[in-house]
Amino acid sequence: MHELRLKLFIAGDSPRARDAAANLARACERLADGPALIETVDILMDPDAADEFRVLTTPTVVRVSPTPRRRVTGDLRDITQVLAALDLHLLSPP
Amino acid sequence: MSRMVPQGIVKRRTGIPGFDLISEGGLPAARATLIAGTAGSAKTIFAAQFLVSGIVNDDEAGVFVSFEDRVEDIRANMLSFGWDIAAWEKRKKWVFVDAAPDPEEPTAVVGGFDLSALLARIERAVKQSGATRVSLDSLNALFVQFAEHPLLRAELFRITTTLKRLGVTVLFTAERLDDYGEVTRHGVEEFVADNVVILRNLLQNERRRRTIEILKLRGASHERGEYPFTITSRDGIVVIPLSGIELTQSSSTKRVTSGIKRLDEMCGGGFFRDSITLVSGATGTGKTLLVTQFMAGGFKAGERCVLFAFEESKDQLFRNAAAWGYDFATMETDGRLLVVNRYPHAMAMEDHLVQMQQVIADFKPNRVAVDSLSALERVSSIRSFREFVIALTSYLKKHEMVGLFTSTTPNLLGGGSVTEKHISTLTDSIILLRYVEAYGDMLRSINVLKMRGSVHDGSLRQYSIDGRGMHIGEPFRHVQGILSGEPHLDDDGSRDDV
């Protein structure tokens, strides 16, 4: 079981959604927090999830666990900022 | 070849009392309307009432998108108006979209984003409930949460466009910094709103005065200018549509008694059934007596009567009436007389008006007396007072009720009060009660100064008051200058036979 779980909320397939997914995957490559389980939720298919997590903007990443929850929205172009927003840390360079 | 066919704008009634009158039918259907106002100007109530009306009056569902207040708070707050949102939610008539930010979980922004999730949630709520109305309250919270304002404006435009295409009538609220100034803080109106309505909450003469103004209703006509409104626990927002109500002159030819036979004669057979009469006189001239007889006369004729007393307590009024031989207590028990005692200071003029209208609507009287208007005037601005008289007058006329208002003149001799200056043109008839100093005595005179649409006796008659009420005698024939307050005898100096 993964301790670090992230949900990426997108609204359909769009260049911005793909950018966000790629940027998030890249950001999570070498985390000190351990491997991340990233679940992508298309709110057009599953609006209940958007209600449940009170998502207004897309793309949005919610760190579901560990709590407290953290969230960041946007195309996630700046990985350093994304990690800071989600309170995640890179492994020290080898 | 297709041709542009001019189409009338279909309006959706808001159910907000008075607003549908000044907006000539409500908010344009399938359009977006911005409700802008300073903090505390009742924007959220307006937004909620718009949905409530759809449910209650037209059985149409509504979606409430809250960017600011927690939905539990909105449910609790609106319950004070008797609006049971939770019950409507169970019936899928009211759906919340909770878009308020969680203070525990702030959202960081990294790069471009859009409001697709919000739009998807609203669209789903609309489709699931079949809603025809959507209220979004308030946009400011969104603009505070996200610094990307141009992006927000573009996205809000996309949301309204989508909702309008679904045939939904959209209402946004937004905050303003000043009651007079830029429409909104963030300039959303040009982007999202076809129509703009302004709510104001002003401090005037140390009293709160709420007004509503329709700034624009694109492509549709509406009344212009500010209209006072109030908030009641029974109806929520109640707009007082002053120019929407027309001051019609009395149109009935049916006469009713003033309660005094000789006064009926002076008026050519009594008051018209839908006319308003102003009685002006100094203290002690018998205004309250005239009101008492007006009530008793109506009661005796089988009418229902309401007296709004602003000067004397109910006990005192009943004691006075008893002294003149009228048993108000029994008349009230009988159910056809209602005496309502109010303190002028207790509330704003708009609230007095709305509460009086509610009393009248519930009791359905044939005649209404107000004793006195001067007591109300002392606690209001000239404008509020005039609006009050216009609204009350037209309300009574519309319901074919005969009205008698009293006004106290400041001077014992002569006449003319501020009250009269402001309202004399609004009433159909004016009766003057004046002291006359003559022959070494203080006498009293009564005169029907004006009576619209009727021949009347314009003479100044002497009257006396005793244990059985007012007794009107013969005209003064040898005294001049009574109304100017400087009575003097004719040259021949003979005493009037009274």
Side-chain angles (χ1 to χ4, degrees):
Chain A
M1 189 189 137
H2 291 270
E3 200 181 339
L4 176 60
R5 290 175 54 222
L6 304 175
K7 273 184 196 286
L8 170 64
F9 293 90
I10 57 166
D13 186 22
S14 68
R16 189 179 276 159
R18 269 175 261 150
D19 284 351
N23 289 334
L24 183 62
R26 206 149 47 84
C28 294
E29 266 168 16
R30 292 173 52 250
L31 290 179
D33 311 80
L37 176 69
I38 301 170
E39 182 194 352
T40 301
V41 181
D42 184 347
I43 51 108
L44 299 184
M45 313 290 285
D46 186 5
D48 278 338
D51 268 339
E52 187 191 339
F53 288 86
R54 299 175 15 147
V55 179
L56 299 186
T57 56
T58 44
T60 287
V61 181
V62 178
R63 189 186 80 187
V64 181
S65 76
T67 53
R69 282 184 186 169
R70 294 292 199 120
R71 63 171 74 204
V72 60
T73 192
D75 57 27
L76 314 178
R77 63 183 70 159
D78 185 324
I79 285 169
T80 313
Q81 282 183 33
V82 171
L83 293 178
L86 295 174
D87 194 24
L88 300 176
H89 309 278
L90 288 175
L91 288 168
S92 327
Chain B
M1 194 184 98
S2 72
R3 208 155 55 92
M4 286 292 287
V5 180
Q7 286 183 323
I9 302 264
V10 178
K11 286 179 181 167
R12 211 166 276 281
R13 60 179 169 163
T14 60
I16 293 172
F19 183 80
D20 292 341
L21 218 63
I22 64 168
S23 59
E24 297 177 4
L27 299 180
R31 300 289 179 98
T33 301
L34 174 76
I35 310 291
T38 50
S41 60
K43 298 184 293 293
T44 303
I45 299 173
F46 195 107
Q49 199 168 346
F50 177 61
L51 300 192
V52 172
S53 162
I55 297 169
V56 173
N57 297 322
D58 303 312
D59 198 36
E60 289 180 2
V63 172
F64 195 101
V65 184
S66 179
F67 292 111
E68 198 160 13
D69 298 326
R70 299 187 321 148
V71 296
E72 309 88 84
D73 292 345
I74 296 172
R75 280 191 202 106
N77 294 344
M78 296 306 148
L79 205 52
S80 60
F81 300 111
W83 301 336
D84 189 352
I85 295 176
W88 291 323
E89 284 180 281
K90 285 200 191 89
R91 291 174 43 215
K92 287 269 179 244
K93 287 293 171 191
W94 180 298
V95 182
F96 272 117
V97 173
D98 182 358
D102 185 345
E104 308 273 289
E105 215 177 302
T107 301
V109 176
V110 178
F113 66 94
D114 57 42
L115 293 178
S116 292
L118 174 64
L119 176 58
R121 290 169 66 190
I122 298 173
E123 260 192 284
R124 190 178 68 121
V126 167
K127 283 176 180 162
Q128 280 189 344
S129 61
T132 54
R133 303 172 182 222
V134 174
S135 285
L136 300 98
D137 178 64
S138 107
L139 295 186
N140 290 77
L142 202 58
F143 280 82
V144 169
Q145 196 185 349
F146 298 106
E148 293 73 11
H149 292 178
L151 180 150
L152 289 180
R153 288 189 201 104
E155 283 295 282
L156 286 169
F157 178 74
R158 186 163 70 99
I159 290 174
T160 43
T161 308
T162 308
L163 291 176
K164 280 152 69 175
R165 219 172 272 149
L166 288 173
V168 171
T169 307
V170 185
L171 189 154
F172 285 98
T173 70
E175 194 171 305
R176 325 175 61 197
L177 288 175
D178 302 309
D179 278 313
Y180 295 93
E182 278 182 287
V183 174
T184 59
R185 277 164 85 162
H186 302 290
V188 287
E189 63 277 2
E190 313 143 58
F191 295 89
V192 301
D194 303 300
N195 319 303
V196 178
V197 174
I198 306 276
L199 301 178
R200 293 189 176 90
N201 184 12
L202 310 159
L203 197 59
Q204 265 183 6
N205 301 342
E206 301 178 2
R207 284 193 169 265
R208 281 279 157 204
R209 176 182 159 85
R210 294 180 180 279
T211 67
I212 185 165
E213 179 185 9
I214 299 172
L215 210 59
K216 67 169 182 183
L217 221 52
R218 201 173 279 164
S221 64
H222 60 87
E223 299 288 336
R224 297 186 183 281
E226 285 181 53
Y227 293 83
F229 76 88
T230 184
I231 300 166
T232 72
S233 58
R234 177 161 133 174
D235 295 318
I237 291 174
V238 177
V239 178
I240 298 159
L242 289 165
S243 68
I245 38 189
E246 284 182 17
L247 268 183
T248 51
Q249 303 192 349
S250 78
S251 54
S252 176
T253 52
K254 188 170 177 279
R255 306 242 186 188
V256 294
T257 182
S258 66
I260 301 170
K261 192 161 168 284
R262 289 298 290 272
L263 183 56
D264 287 349
E265 288 165 15
M266 289 173 75
C267 294
F271 298 153
F272 287 117
R273 189 181 57 183
D274 59 350
S275 71
I276 308 295
T277 300
L278 178 71
V279 177
S280 145
T283 176
T285 46
K287 296 186 299 297
T288 302
L289 168 60
L290 214 117
V291 165
T292 304
Q293 293 195 268
F294 177 68
M295 290 283 101
F299 185 87
K300 201 177 158 200
E303 296 182 11
R304 299 174 67 78
C305 315
V306 171
L307 165 56
F308 292 101
F310 292 99
E311 289 199 337
E312 289 169 294
S313 72
K314 205 162 169 168
D315 283 351
Q316 204 175 339
L317 277 166
F318 279 39
R319 268 202 307 278
N320 293 345
W324 293 312
Y326 300 103
D327 187 356
F328 271 14
T330 304
M331 293 183 198
E332 264 209 332
T333 314
D334 189 76
R336 283 192 292 113
L337 172 69
L338 179 65
V339 178
V340 181
N341 192 225
R342 291 272 159 78
Y343 292 101
H345 290 84
M347 53 189 126
M349 291 304 278
E350 292 79 21
D351 297 313
H352 274 302
L353 175 68
V354 168
Q355 293 208 359
M356 287 165 79
Q357 287 181 347
Q358 285 176 354
V359 167
I360 293 168
D362 289 344
F363 193 77
K364 299 184 175 56
N366 305 94
R367 60 176 62 201
V368 173
V370 179
D371 188 34
S372 71
L373 283 182
S374 309
L376 285 171
E377 186 185 29
R378 285 194 286 272
V379 300
S380 72
S381 70
I382 292 169
R383 185 175 164 170
S384 292
F385 178 71
R386 215 183 126 80
E387 287 170 353
F388 168 86
V389 177
I390 292 175
L392 182 62
T393 303
S394 59
Y395 186 84
L396 295 179
K397 284 169 168 295
K398 193 174 135 202
H399 295 89
E400 295 215 333
M401 294 167 188
V402 58
L404 187 78
F405 304 160
T406 67
S407 136
T408 307
T409 55
N411 303 319
L412 286 181
L413 290 172
S417 69
V418 191
T419 310
E420 284 151 45
K421 195 170 96 197
H422 295 137
I423 64 168
S424 59
T425 55
L426 306 176
T427 60
D428 299 293
S429 310
I430 299 177
I431 295 173
L432 303 180
L433 303 179
R434 295 286 183 263
Y435 285 114
V436 187
E437 186 192 350
Y439 320 113
D441 276 327
M442 197 58 111
L443 308 175
R444 295 180 174 106
S445 77
I446 184 169
N447 167 246
V448 180
L449 183 68
K450 150 181 139 175
M451 187 162 173
R452 256 182 214 146
S454 175
V455 176
H456 66 275
D457 172 3
S459 65
L460 284 153
R461 287 173 179 267
Q462 191 175 346
Y463 68 92
S464 60
I465 295 173
D466 66 12
R468 283 170 39 244
M470 183 180 283
H471 302 281
I472 300 172
E474 295 304 312
F476 286 94
R477 299 216 181 279
H478 302 288
V479 186
Q480 309 283 329
I482 292 173
L483 296 184
S484 66
E486 289 169 7
H488 54 273
L489 300 177
D490 271 0
D491 291 344
D492 83 349
S494 58
R495 179 166 182 146
D496 276 311
D497 230 356
V498 291

